Amino acid sequence: MVNILDLSYEELEEFLVELGEKKFRTKQVWQWLWNKYVQSFDEMTNISKAVRARLHEEAYIRWPEVVTSQKSKDGTIKFLLKLHDDALVETVLIPGSKGRYSQCLSCQVGCAMACTFCSTGTMGFKRNMTQSEILGQVLVARHYLNDVAERPILRNIVFMGMGEPLLNLENLLKSLNTMHSTLGLAFSPRRVTVSTCGIQKGLYELGESGLAFLAVSLHAPNQDVRAKIMPKAARWKLDDFMTALKNYPLKTRERITYEYLLLGGVNDSVEDARELVKLISQTKSKLNLIVYNPSEGDPYKAPSEEAVLKFQKVLWDKGVTAIIRQSKGADIKAACGQLVADQSKNEAES
């Protein structure tokens, strides 16, 4: 049997035809799954009981199970989710203006990149997530918010949760295509961002697809610092990475977003800022500065406010658009780099 949420529209059509159904059934079932968010075939009321019985025999609908949910004092909401094999992942709803939200999605159970400042890296890599598990996070969020695709509260998606998206490229691209379906979740590609720490395989394919904006987890102004804090990502030399980014396919008025995590005494000096200007000025870009949120036992400290402001001033003085991104959810370990799926920790923090 198959989790029907793992099928693309074309795969669903083929599946239904093999069951002896007409192709028009595909649109009906698809809308029930991705637009009306049903969790049982019995809820598909415009489909005959006989067809629903066949679907019960050959497929099932499984969402990730919500183990815990936590709400930060700033309104951020973090879900700990259990997958079909009891693997645990986290996803975060980030409040914005006018009652709207963005969602930070995970794409892997754990992460193989082991960046030294990221809690997820301490989990190691367990496995890739499927489409049903990636987009199941969106279904859980919309159900929680009592949201509808036609008038969405959940407006933006960022693949900045657990895992490296380009190391799960097949399921990422499949999920992005499903996410953009106007018959379903109906997210515009302009409201979806995929973040990578620098994976050569898949970067160009993502750009050619036009399915999402690109964000780059840079975090270092030169190869030496990058190798110390992101040793696995740094295997792709920074100069070569930047050359690839210069050739990355961009739409009109589109820019690459660089994410730069300021680590106290490591990459937050005025000289680091000057090096960073030279580096990212090679591409059409904007820069998000993120102030590090230390967790217990971390090897790094947060930068001083003075260092952050001096760093930003150097960038602005050189014409680089640099915004200090306000991290949210730090009190529930939901801020940048803090996701680590541990049920005992989540229960302790609740």
Side-chain angles (χ1 to χ4, degrees):
M1 293 179 69
V2 62
N3 186 349
I4 204 166
L5 294 172
D6 277 322
L7 303 181
S8 67
Y9 190 91
E10 294 74 21
E11 290 169 340
L12 178 61
E13 182 177 83
E14 183 180 347
F15 175 76
L16 292 172
V17 169
E18 287 179 355
L19 291 183
E21 293 303 314
K22 300 294 184 182
K23 288 185 177 181
F24 76 86
R25 289 285 185 213
T26 310
K27 180 178 178 180
Q28 292 177 316
V29 173
W30 186 263
Q31 287 180 305
W32 282 113
L33 294 172
W34 296 112
N35 191 261
K36 299 178 182 178
Y37 318 136
V38 301
Q39 298 186 61
S40 168
F41 295 120
D42 295 331
E43 298 177 68
M44 299 181 177
T45 53
N46 64 344
I47 297 176
S48 71
K49 289 183 178 180
V51 174
R52 282 181 267 164
R54 288 294 309 279
L55 288 171
H56 271 297
E57 292 172 0
E58 302 292 338
Y60 58 91
I61 304 169
R62 178 184 285 134
W63 289 15
E65 175 190 344
V66 178
V67 179
T68 61
S69 62
Q70 297 171 271
K71 190 165 186 177
S72 166
K73 59 187 178 184
D74 61 28
T76 300
I77 302 160
K78 183 174 74 169
F79 298 98
L80 177 68
L81 304 176
K82 182 185 291 186
L83 307 181
H84 71 92
D85 58 355
D86 292 336
L88 298 173
V89 297
E90 292 184 329
T91 184
V92 178
L93 280 173
I94 305 163
S97 61
K98 299 180 181 178
R100 294 169 178 166
Y101 286 85
S102 298
Q103 186 173 12
C104 182
L105 294 186
S106 294
C107 61
Q108 295 180 312
V109 181
C111 184
M113 299 312 294
C115 297
T116 59
F117 49 78
C118 181
S119 296
T120 306
T122 63
M123 295 176 60
F125 173 72
K126 308 295 175 57
R127 65 172 176 84
N128 284 328
M129 293 169 64
T130 65
Q131 172 177 273
S132 66
E133 294 168 338
I134 293 171
L135 297 187
Q137 298 168 83
V138 180
L139 295 175
V140 166
R142 282 206 159 151
H143 179 74
Y144 178 90
L145 295 170
N146 197 25
D147 198 8
V148 293
E150 292 75 18
R151 299 179 304 280
I153 300 170
L154 177 55
R155 299 295 298 276
N156 300 293
I157 297 293
V158 293
F159 282 81
M160 296 181 181
M162 297 168 58
E164 165 53 57
L166 296 188
L167 291 180
N168 189 11
L169 184 65
E170 181 179 351
N171 287 318
L172 171 69
L173 294 178
K174 184 177 184 178
S175 298
L176 289 172
N177 274 301
T178 296
M179 181 180 291
H180 298 325
S181 168
T182 56
L183 300 174
L185 295 173
F187 283 95
S188 163
R190 301 188 70 84
R191 292 193 173 275
V192 180
T193 299
V194 172
S195 177
T196 178
C197 65
I199 304 298
Q200 187 170 6
K201 182 176 174 55
L203 182 68
Y204 189 77
E205 288 89 336
L206 177 65
E208 281 292 289
S209 76
L211 294 173
F213 285 155
L214 176 68
V216 174
S217 295
L218 190 57
H219 309 318
N222 56 55
Q223 176 66 18
D224 288 343
V225 174
R226 189 167 164 84
K228 290 175 183 176
I229 66 175
M230 306 172 71
K232 291 189 176 181
R235 291 172 184 171
W236 190 12
K237 299 299 183 184
L238 190 54
D239 286 345
D240 296 334
F241 185 24
M242 295 306 300
T243 298
L245 293 175
K246 281 191 284 187
N247 296 314
Y248 186 81
L250 294 174
K251 299 175 185 176
T252 304
R253 296 191 298 277
E254 184 180 348
R255 294 185 290 174
I256 295 170
T257 298
Y258 290 103
E259 307 282 346
Y260 192 95
L261 184 66
L262 289 161
L263 303 167
V266 176
N267 64 353
D268 62 341
S269 71
V270 167
E271 182 55 40
D272 291 327
R274 292 185 181 124
E275 281 194 84
L276 184 61
V277 168
K278 295 177 183 177
L279 190 67
I280 67 175
S281 294
Q282 303 175 51
T283 58
K284 291 172 60 179
S285 62
K286 60 182 179 180
L287 179 70
N288 284 334
L289 295 175
I290 307 164
V291 179
Y292 180 60
N293 297 289
S295 296
E296 186 177 349
D298 283 359
Y300 303 112
K301 62 182 180 180
S304 67
E305 183 178 357
E306 180 183 9
V308 172
L309 294 177
K310 284 183 177 180
F311 195 97
Q312 185 188 35
K313 186 177 186 303
V314 170
L315 296 165
W316 278 109
D317 287 348
K318 295 296 184 179
V320 175
T321 302
I323 304 299
I324 300 174
R325 200 177 80 190
Q326 299 300 317
S327 290
K328 294 185 177 182
D331 58 315
I332 58 169
K333 299 291 191 293
C336 180
Q338 290 188 318
L339 298 189
V340 53
D342 186 317
Q343 187 170 352
S344 61
K345 288 183 180 179
N346 277 269
E347 289 172 346
E349 292 161 5
S350 297

